[in-house]
Amino acid sequence: MFIIEKPYASEFLVDAIVQNDWAVLDNESIQEANFEEGAFNLVDTNQAREHFLKQEYPLIYSNSENAINWVLENLPQSNLTSYIKFFKDKAKFRELLQEMYPDFYFQTVEYENLKKLNKKEIKFPVVLKPAVGFLSFGVHTVKDESEWDSVISKLSSEMKQAESMYPKEVLDSSKFLIEEKIEGEEFAIDAFYDRNGDVVILNIFQHPFYNEKDVSDRIYITSAEIMVRHMAKFAILLKQIGNLSLIRNFPMHVEVRIKDDGTIIPIEVNPMRFAGWCTTDVARYAWGINVYEHFQNQTSPNWNDILADAGRDIYYFSMAEVPVDVERSKIKNFDYGRFLENYSHVLEVRRINFETNPLFAIIFGSLKDKSEIQKILSLNTKDYIIQ
């Protein structure tokens, strides 16, 4: 079953659901959306609950973590609920991984106690983030004591904006995680555990940053070279994590960093979905695959053939973020045309309603080399806002 939720479902996802006649939960988001009547094979909550309570390992995918609340309320004792709880709370996730990473420094602090914290006891540099979070809301890199107070002062307005967009199950500012800053390249993985608990990888993205202070989601890139170099070792790591809780039938978006010595450290695991805002759809351009069909049909892409035939192009998705310090009421429009001039080979542009969402647009494209990436990372969306 698919659960379609706010904030965004792509046409590619909707078309896949309709063409395959997959079951869709009949919820408020479906009723409010402008979908053609009869387009979906709708299942109401009672039918879905009755069906999945009988399933040891429910097979459910959602485009948004907003669907988590439905699962927690209707399938409270299911394995799926235990998986969500295992991963969604980043503090609990760190605790569960302590056996694998005994020397990793982290601590959990209530938001109201952040200002009272003894800075001498923090092992800088650190990353500060909501224990339950989404995108980069409330995420900050803090190099030393001198930066701590200014970062804490920014959090209040940031989290108020975020909480107005997402439910508590997706983003909760009541508890924060302080953890050591992991040096090294960052990667993201779209994958799922199949019915046998085997790992199926669908996307691997490198996540470049503008500088050491950057924590944005501006651009993620993938290529045959990235897939070949990292797929085997990422699959081994995910299998180790899956064995901690015998995970089955579970889609996820995983973020990791690779240290200079080759050690792979998980940052977080986002449950029930692949890359957010349907950005996982970049796989259609890069590899010619439909990630939703692979999950629903429990199949793995034929990576040997796909990568053997792949060229040297780099594919990406890029996000044009609404600055957190800009008053939305003062934004009349965004200069999409001028902004997109910064991208050389655009494959698709998805304009997002910036009045109610944290993005102006999502851009899919390709590159021949990485020289353009730094330019994209340096863009300031404020320069393209029309007031």
Side-chain angles (χ1 to χ4, degrees), residues 85-98:
K85 291 180 177 179
F86 180 82
F87 290 123
K88 186 57 186 172
D89 188 317
K90 296 176 179 63
K92 290 181 179 178
F93 181 52
R94 280 281 169 237
E95 292 168 4
L96 289 162
L97 291 184
Q98 273 188 306

Side-chain angles (χ1 to χ4, degrees), residues 155-385:
L155 282 180
S156 178
S157 60
E158 286 183 20
M159 300 316 295
K160 282 180 181 177
Q161 179 181 343
E163 288 174 344
S164 69
M165 298 179 184
Y166 300 104
K168 190 174 182 180
E169 291 79 15
V170 176
L171 196 148
D172 184 357
S173 64
S174 64
K175 184 170 64 174
F176 274 73
L177 181 68
I178 302 170
E179 63 181 25
E180 69 178 71
K181 185 178 184 296
I182 308 166
E183 301 295 344
E185 286 187 297
E186 184 168 309
F187 293 85
I189 310 150
D190 287 341
F192 66 90
Y193 296 100
D194 68 13
R195 63 174 66 89
N196 300 314
D198 293 326
V199 177
V200 177
I201 289 180
L202 300 170
N203 276 317
I204 296 175
F205 305 106
Q206 184 179 351
H207 185 188
F209 296 96
Y210 184 60
N211 55 37
E212 64 177 13
K213 298 294 292 181
D214 185 15
V215 293
S216 72
D217 296 311
R218 173 57 58 80
I219 188 169
Y220 288 75
I221 64 174
T222 190
S223 67
E225 187 266 338
I226 289 172
M227 300 293 288
V228 169
R229 190 197 305 175
H230 300 293
M231 188 178 297
K233 56 190 176 186
F234 286 167
I236 291 171
L237 172 68
L238 296 182
K239 183 64 175 176
Q240 291 173 330
I241 294 174
N243 288 340
L244 294 175
S245 194
L246 298 176
I247 302 174
R248 306 284 188 274
N249 285 354
F250 188 70
M252 58 192 175
H253 178 72
V254 187
E255 296 178 8
V256 304
R257 283 207 176 209
I258 303 179
K259 299 174 72 173
D260 290 341
D261 64 3
T263 304
I264 306 171
I265 307 289
I267 300 172
E268 61 184 43
V269 177
N270 299 284
M272 286 190 66
R273 64 168 175 86
F274 303 136
W277 289 80
C278 293
T279 51
T280 187
D281 296 354
V282 72
R284 70 184 288 202
Y285 297 113
W287 318 121
I289 66 172
N290 186 314
V291 298
Y292 311 111
E293 289 182 349
H294 280 294
F295 173 67
Q296 185 69 13
N297 298 330
Q298 297 274 286
T299 56
S300 175
N302 187 336
W303 285 118
N304 288 335
D305 289 349
I306 291 171
L307 297 176
D309 294 338
R312 292 172 155 249
D313 285 6
I314 298 166
Y315 291 86
Y316 66 82
F317 66 83
S318 177
M319 293 179 155
E321 315 92 338
V322 178
V324 295
D325 57 349
V326 172
E327 254 187 81
R328 289 170 180 273
S329 60
K330 294 183 178 179
I331 301 177
K332 292 182 179 178
N333 210 332
F334 186 73
D335 194 338
Y336 290 94
R338 192 161 62 89
F339 184 79
L340 291 172
E341 289 175 359
N342 296 290
Y343 296 79
S344 62
H345 189 200
V346 174
L347 298 169
E348 181 183 355
V349 178
R350 297 174 178 176
R351 297 193 181 192
I352 306 298
N353 181 357
F354 56 81
E355 293 180 357
T356 55
N357 293 294
L359 302 175
F360 291 111
I362 298 167
I363 302 101
F364 296 90
S366 66
L367 307 164
K368 293 296 182 184
D369 59 64
K370 294 184 178 181
S371 60
E372 188 177 319
I373 295 173
Q374 198 66 10
K375 177 183 178 182
I376 294 172
L377 287 169
S378 69
L379 296 174
N380 187 341
T381 53
K382 286 183 181 179
D383 297 335
Y384 303 89
I385 290 175

Side-chain angles (χ1 to χ4, degrees), residues 32-170:
E32 291 180 355
N34 189 28
F35 293 121
E36 183 180 343
E37 187 175 350
F40 292 131
N41 173 16
L42 294 178
V43 178
D44 66 32
T45 285
N46 290 333
Q47 291 173 307
R49 185 193 303 116
E50 182 179 353
H51 173 75
F52 287 114
L53 284 174
K54 298 174 185 176
Q55 308 297 312
E56 187 175 10
Y57 302 108
L59 187 71
I60 300 176
Y61 182 90
S62 180
N63 63 305
S64 166
E65 288 178 40
N66 289 6
I68 286 174
N69 190 46
W70 185 92
V71 176
L72 299 183
E73 286 186 358
N74 291 280
L75 308 174
Q77 304 303 318
S78 76
N79 281 308
L80 179 56
T81 292
S82 69
Y83 302 155
I84 290 171
K85 291 180 177 179
F86 180 82
F87 290 123
K88 186 57 186 172
D89 188 317
K90 296 176 179 63
K92 290 181 179 178
F93 181 52
R94 280 281 169 237
E95 292 168 4
L96 289 162
L97 291 184
Q98 273 188 306
E99 183 178 337
M100 294 175 63
Y101 303 94
D103 299 324
F104 189 85
Y105 163 70
F106 70 95
Q107 63 174 308
T108 307
V109 182
E110 298 295 323
Y111 172 70
E112 59 189 22
N113 293 328
L114 285 173
K115 291 183 179 179
K116 308 172 189 175
L117 205 61
N118 184 349
K119 289 175 281 189
K120 300 291 183 185
E121 296 178 357
I122 302 173
K123 298 179 182 180
F124 295 101
V126 296
V127 174
L128 175 69
K129 56 187 173 184
V132 177
F134 184 59
L135 291 176
S136 298
F137 283 115
V139 180
H140 292 272
T141 298
V142 191
K143 185 170 67 174
D144 51 36
E145 285 185 43
S146 65
E147 295 183 348
W148 181 259
D149 291 338
S150 63
V151 168
I152 299 305
S153 67
K154 294 177 183 176
L155 282 180
S156 178
S157 60
E158 286 183 20
M159 300 316 295
K160 282 180 181 177
Q161 179 181 343
E163 288 174 344
S164 69
M165 298 179 184
Y166 300 104
K168 190 174 182 180
E169 291 79 15
V170 176

